[in-house]
Amino acid sequence: MPPFKFLSFIIFNILIYSCTNSTGQQHPRVFLSENFSYSELSNETKEILELWRPYLDSLIKNEKFNIDSSVWDTEIDPIGGIELYYHIKQSDGPINAEILNIQKLDSNKYSVKTAFYNLSESGRSKNSSLNCIYDIIIKKKGKAFKVYNFLSEYTEDWSRKQVGNIVYHYTPSYPFNQGKAKIMSEYCDSLANFFSTESPKINYYIFKNSQETFYSMGFLYNRDMYDTYQIFGRADPNRNIVYCGNNSEIFPHEIVHLYTHKYYSTLHNFFDEGLAEHLDFSIQAEKISKRKVMANYLKDNPQINLSNILELEDRIGNGISYKYDISCLLVEKLLEKGPKQALHKILNGGTKNEDFYATVTSILGIEKREINNIIRGWLTNY
């Protein structure tokens, strides 16, 4: 148990980060509050707390994940904190970070659990909503404590097996399927050929479901953990890691993302999802059924203007999504216009919304206002 007694809520320090990077993008502001008395903490617990502050500071201000080596063990993982960084960075407003628990796990290891709340723009906690609860591991290395990647802690006793360029990580009780792993390895080689890149060594983690996937990243709570319609996966191109929450050796969608994120920084995220769906050989029947649902939905809603598809609410219900399902159809049709030329334009067209529309109209030879009728026309075949 933690070496301190919880007291009534006391705010003794507030740190506000309102950094602006070179592109003018403002980072989320983080308010730090703590619900226990600093004076009652042991010296070692204070040392842990004093490490957590610069770690969070380094994480929030970071653009390239080069976490300060004074707080993170960069010899083991030079770009730590990516999972929490991605999550916090998506917040539109200020965030309150509250330490819930500092727990001593053994003589040289602590767990620090922190709740992050979305606040109003005023920074007040009234009507705040829970964003996530995150756990970090802090270990003593030599005479100093350092923050460690939670994934390494979570999968410390897991089995490993390399098949081609993929190193699979899975629980000792998991019935590893060598045949499926070989299919996935060959698929990676085909992607390297498709994208004209090398085939990197990939660390592929097999998780039972979305919840376990998030647990492995350090999230004790995250709203996306309980998505009813979508199996969670994530590609981390910085560390060549693929998190797969489908309990299988095969998850083509996330492998595609690893390639696109690693080699094509000018790819629009709508095209990124479309390519991942288009190249996913494991969901062919599902693609057709979803297009039928989308076709009927759009037929019943003629007022929806697909010429402004990026401005629409993404999901229409039952797991059907413009960003996944329409984008998949769009990529398919664009590539039919000339596989090599169209692919080059898609991958290098740019990340801004106007870049997306310019790429679509350029390949199809149409004006932006015609996109709506073109897509609806494609869907009449389903």
Side-chain angles (χ1 to χ4, degrees), residues 334-381:
L334 293 180
L335 292 178
E336 287 178 0
K337 292 294 182 179
K340 289 186 178 180
Q341 298 89 339
L343 180 62
H344 178 78
K345 287 185 177 182
I346 290 170
L347 293 173
N348 300 285
T351 59
K352 297 179 180 179
N353 287 355
E354 54 263 36
D355 298 330
F356 166 81
Y357 291 119
T359 300
V360 172
T361 55
S362 172
I363 295 174
L364 294 178
I366 62 174
E367 295 183 13
K368 179 176 178 291
R369 58 182 174 80
E370 298 178 89
I371 294 176
N372 180 53
N373 289 337
I374 290 290
I375 295 178
R376 286 176 177 272
W378 292 336
L379 287 168
T380 59
N381 297 317

Side-chain angles (χ1 to χ4, degrees), residues 25-36:
Q25 178 184 5
Q26 184 168 312
H27 292 285
R29 288 166 286 171
V30 176
F31 296 73
L32 171 63
S33 61
E34 295 153 26
N35 61 348
F36 45 85

Side-chain angles (χ1 to χ4, degrees), residues 187 194-195 252-253 256-257 260-261 267-281 283-284 287 291 309-310 314 321-335 343 346-347 356:
Y187 176 74
F194 180 81
F195 288 117
H253 185 102
V256 174
H257 280 323
T260 56
H261 295 176
L267 174 64
H268 193 279
N269 62 3
F270 199 84
F271 280 140
D272 189 23
E273 295 299 345
L275 275 168
E277 290 288 285
H278 173 66
L279 296 171
D280 189 342
F281 63 85
I283 59 170
Q284 295 303 320
K287 290 178 189 177
R291 287 177 187 180
I309 195 167
L310 300 182
D314 182 46
S321 160
Y322 294 117
K323 192 173 184 179
Y324 288 84
D325 304 308
I326 291 292
S327 63
C328 176
L329 175 62
L330 181 60
V331 165
E332 178 184 308
K333 294 298 183 180
L334 293 180
L335 292 178
L343 180 62
I346 290 170
L347 293 173
F356 166 81

Side-chain angles (χ1 to χ4, degrees), residues 200-349:
K201 184 176 179 180
I202 299 171
N203 282 289
Y204 185 115
Y205 289 83
I206 300 175
F207 300 104
K208 290 182 293 185
N209 49 42
S210 298
Q211 288 94 329
E212 187 185 31
T213 309
F214 276 106
Y215 289 147
S216 76
M217 296 177 177
F219 289 100
L220 300 179
Y221 168 79
N222 180 319
R223 186 177 60 180
D224 293 336
M225 295 170 72
Y226 304 101
D227 192 320
T228 305
Y229 298 103
Q230 186 174 341
I231 296 174
F232 180 79
R234 176 169 288 168
D236 177 358
N238 299 283
R239 294 180 292 184
N240 288 353
I241 291 175
V242 175
Y243 301 84
C244 300
N246 66 345
N247 203 38
S248 173
E249 295 81 2
I250 293 179
F251 203 149
H253 185 102
E254 292 307 322
I255 295 291
V256 174
H257 280 323
L258 189 141
Y259 277 78
T260 56
H261 295 176
K262 189 174 185 67
Y263 298 112
Y264 295 99
S265 60
T266 53
L267 174 64
H268 193 279
N269 62 3
F270 199 84
F271 280 140
D272 189 23
E273 295 299 345
L275 275 168
E277 290 288 285
H278 173 66
L279 296 171
D280 189 342
F281 63 85
S282 68
I283 59 170
Q284 295 303 320
E286 184 180 340
K287 290 178 189 177
I288 302 302
S289 64
K290 285 187 173 183
R291 287 177 187 180
K292 290 179 179 178
V293 173
M294 182 67 77
N296 290 328
Y297 175 79
L298 291 172
K299 183 178 179 180
D300 294 338
N301 293 274
Q303 77 283 359
I304 294 176
N305 184 7
L306 298 178
S307 293
N308 297 315
I309 195 167
L310 300 182
E311 286 72 51
L312 299 176
E313 186 70 31
D314 182 46
R315 296 192 184 187
I316 68 170
N318 298 320
I320 311 298
S321 160
Y322 294 117
K323 192 173 184 179
Y324 288 84
D325 304 308
I326 291 292
S327 63
C328 176
L329 175 62
L330 181 60
V331 165
E332 178 184 308
K333 294 298 183 180
L334 293 180
L335 292 178
E336 287 178 0
K337 292 294 182 179
K340 289 186 178 180
Q341 298 89 339
L343 180 62
H344 178 78
K345 287 185 177 182
I346 290 170
L347 293 173
N348 300 285

